[in-house]
Amino acid sequence: MKKKILVTGGAGFLGSHLCERLLNEGNEVICLDNYFTGQKQNVIHLLDNPYFELIRHDVTMPFFIEVDQIYNLACPASPVHYQYNPIKTIKTSVAGAINMLGLAKRIKARILQASTSEVYGDPKIHPQPESYWGYVNPIGTRACYDEGKRCAESLFVNYHRQNNVDIKIIRIFNTYGPRMHPHDGRVVSNFIVQALKGEDLTMYGDGKQTRSFQYVDDLIEGMIRLMNSREDFHGPVNIGNPGEFSILELAEKVIQMTGSKSKIIFQPLPEDDPMQRKPDITLAKKELNWEPKVHLDEGLKRTIDFFKTIVK
Ligand code: NAD
Ligand code: UDP
């Protein structure tokens, strides 16, 4: 059945893919964004669709609309961007969650929070199941994001317990794909852009730290499945690709796949940079019948093809 759906942060990397998919499924989509890290360009191809609406708004301010579902994605996701104005990052996560939960409560909409594997911090349990409480430095440079997202999760479960708001929480692991901003600062986009330009690839630390990279289409599938899951399932649920790679392996893959002559240069590891990350996706398999389909090689190929069209 056709639904009216609000997507905050809809002009960002993930939000734009989500808006597109929801429209393709016949829904009406309202995309709300303050364009801090997102851009109109990401959704420009949707503007001709009469069922798509784009609104400039900051989620730290209240917003009123009648919808059936809310996907709350508004928040900078790259360490470079969320550390640029850490107070604003906390306000976006916390005040943004309060405003959107207040709206969901008032209009009785189902609401999904885009949480993150960062709630596990620099994890001491590997791979990370949802039951792990994490190992987060509350006063470090990543805390504005990690603790903001942890507080948002707490707000979500409490709006559910206290006010019976219909909530879903997804913990997203590192996701990459077309429409990442070329200056986004995250590792996949940085390495591809550097390789295509023939510049040195900037390796932070010795490159032995690991991440599990998930292609955007797999994430969007998991997110939509969670939103439409049975009423008494709220998560949090990990959505990520359990394939684990060191950052050095990633750099070598990108150099090889782009045929670049770039070299790797080593720079200091940023504070509190997690040493390992890999999702335990048992819960997603059981509850959502979901697992990722796109292997890193295939996803990187599609992402490199995208960047070839925009990197000059
Ligand atoms: P992104 O930076 O491309 O998108 C975030 C969007 O939110 C941007 O369009 C930005 O302009 C908008 N935004 C930021 N602050 C806002 C505010 N105050 N009001 C309104 N809009 C605001 O990042 P993304 O990768 O698309 O991430 C989307 C969501 O998914 C974020 O909440 C992020 O924390 C979460 N997430 C992403 C990843 C990933 O690997 N991409 C991993 C874990 C969690
Ligand atoms: N990284 C790197 N070079 C870069 C950007 C990132 O070596 O140009 C490293 C970073 O230190 C981290 C990993 O790649 O260990 C993933 O970084 P990203 O910012 O993409 O995501 P997050 O740290 O939030 O998982």
Side-chain angles (χ1 to χ4, degrees):
M1 207 184 64
K2 192 187 190 77
K3 292 194 178 67
K4 211 170 158 186
I5 303 175
L6 175 66
V7 179
T8 78
F13 160 49
L14 299 181
S16 64
H17 286 274
L18 179 64
C19 289
E20 187 175 316
R21 169 85 189 264
L22 293 171
L23 283 169
N24 285 344
E25 289 178 355
N27 300 292
E28 194 174 332
V29 174
I30 297 103
C31 167
L32 184 155
D33 209 293
N34 72 347
Y35 306 122
F36 173 48
T37 50
Q39 36 179 353
K40 275 190 190 158
Q41 188 61 36
N42 285 339
V43 288
I44 206 154
H45 60 297
L46 307 176
L47 289 177
D48 286 341
N49 188 323
Y51 295 106
F52 182 71
E53 239 176 294
L54 180 59
I55 300 174
R56 181 192 292 260
H57 181 81
D58 190 312
V59 288
T60 60
M61 302 292 168
F63 182 74
F64 297 101
I65 194 168
E66 292 276 338
V67 289
D68 304 304
Q69 295 184 337
I70 304 169
Y71 287 85
N72 187 37
L73 273 63
C75 186
S78 155
V80 181
H81 290 134
Y82 67 64
Q83 289 170 22
Y84 170 75
N85 184 344
I87 297 170
K88 176 74 191 205
T89 300
I90 298 174
K91 283 186 185 168
T92 294
S93 274
V94 177
I98 292 171
N99 286 329
M100 289 305 132
L101 284 161
L103 175 64
K105 177 184 161 193
R106 180 174 168 161
I107 61 174
K108 298 196 178 357
R110 178 171 280 192
I111 180 166
L112 177 146
Q113 167 66 0
S115 191
T116 168
S117 54
E118 281 285 312
V119 300
Y120 302 122
D122 191 4
K124 304 297 167 219
I125 288 187
H126 196 72
Q128 295 81 52
E130 291 82 356
S131 55
Y132 179 51
W133 292 354
Y135 186 74
V136 174
N137 173 2
I139 55 169
T141 47
R142 293 175 82 104
C144 58
Y145 183 72
D146 302 7
E147 297 290 17
K149 289 284 188 180
R150 286 165 68 97
C151 183
E153 285 200 10
S154 182
L155 282 162
F156 267 68
V157 293
N158 283 304
Y159 267 77
H160 172 66
R161 287 187 195 123
Q162 206 173 319
N163 299 127
N164 209 23
V165 173
D166 187 2
I167 64 144
K168 307 278 177 185
I169 301 172
I170 179 174
R171 289 186 180 153
I172 304 170
F173 282 66
N174 297 60
T175 307
Y176 68 95
R179 286 196 218 126
M180 290 185 94
H181 195 283
H183 304 300
D184 178 86
R186 280 177 279 188
V187 68
V188 174
S189 45
N190 267 12
F191 283 177
I192 294 177
V193 171
Q194 289 161 347
L196 291 177
K197 287 185 166 173
E199 294 170 359
D200 293 336
L201 269 61
T202 50
M203 180 68 58
Y204 305 158
D206 58 12
K208 289 192 185 129
Q209 70 272 33
T210 68
R211 292 293 185 275
S212 300
F213 298 102
Q214 139 173 262
Y215 188 66
V216 60
D217 291 359
D218 284 332
L219 182 259
I220 299 300
E221 177 67 32
M223 200 185 272
I224 292 176
R225 282 190 193 210
L226 174 62
M227 177 59 109
N228 298 296
S229 60
R230 64 184 165 86
E231 207 173 332
D232 57 348
F233 180 68
H234 308 290
V237 58
N238 291 337
I239 297 287
N241 191 323
E244 186 184 8
F245 297 86
S246 72
I247 302 303
L248 204 51
E249 280 176 295
L250 177 74
E252 283 159 358
K253 252 184 202 302
V254 169
I255 289 175
Q256 179 246 320
M257 290 177 74
T258 51
S260 173
K261 297 205 163 36
S262 295
K263 303 262 173 304
I264 297 172
I265 53 160
F266 291 86
Q267 297 183 351
L269 190 68
E271 183 191 22
D272 295 333
D273 199 289
M275 283 315 293
Q276 52 180 5
R277 190 181 284 155
K278 170 179 166 146
D280 177 334
I281 58 165
T282 312
L283 186 64
K285 279 186 185 159
K286 176 171 164 277
E287 285 295 336
L288 310 176
N289 193 21
W290 175 91
E291 59 184 317
K293 302 220 165 0
V294 183
H295 187 273
L296 183 60
D297 289 346
E298 175 56 28
L300 278 181
K301 186 182 166 302
R302 294 185 207 171
T303 311
I304 291 167
D305 287 346
F306 162 78
F307 277 107
K308 278 183 182 163
T309 66
I310 59 164
V311 173
K312 302 286 171 235

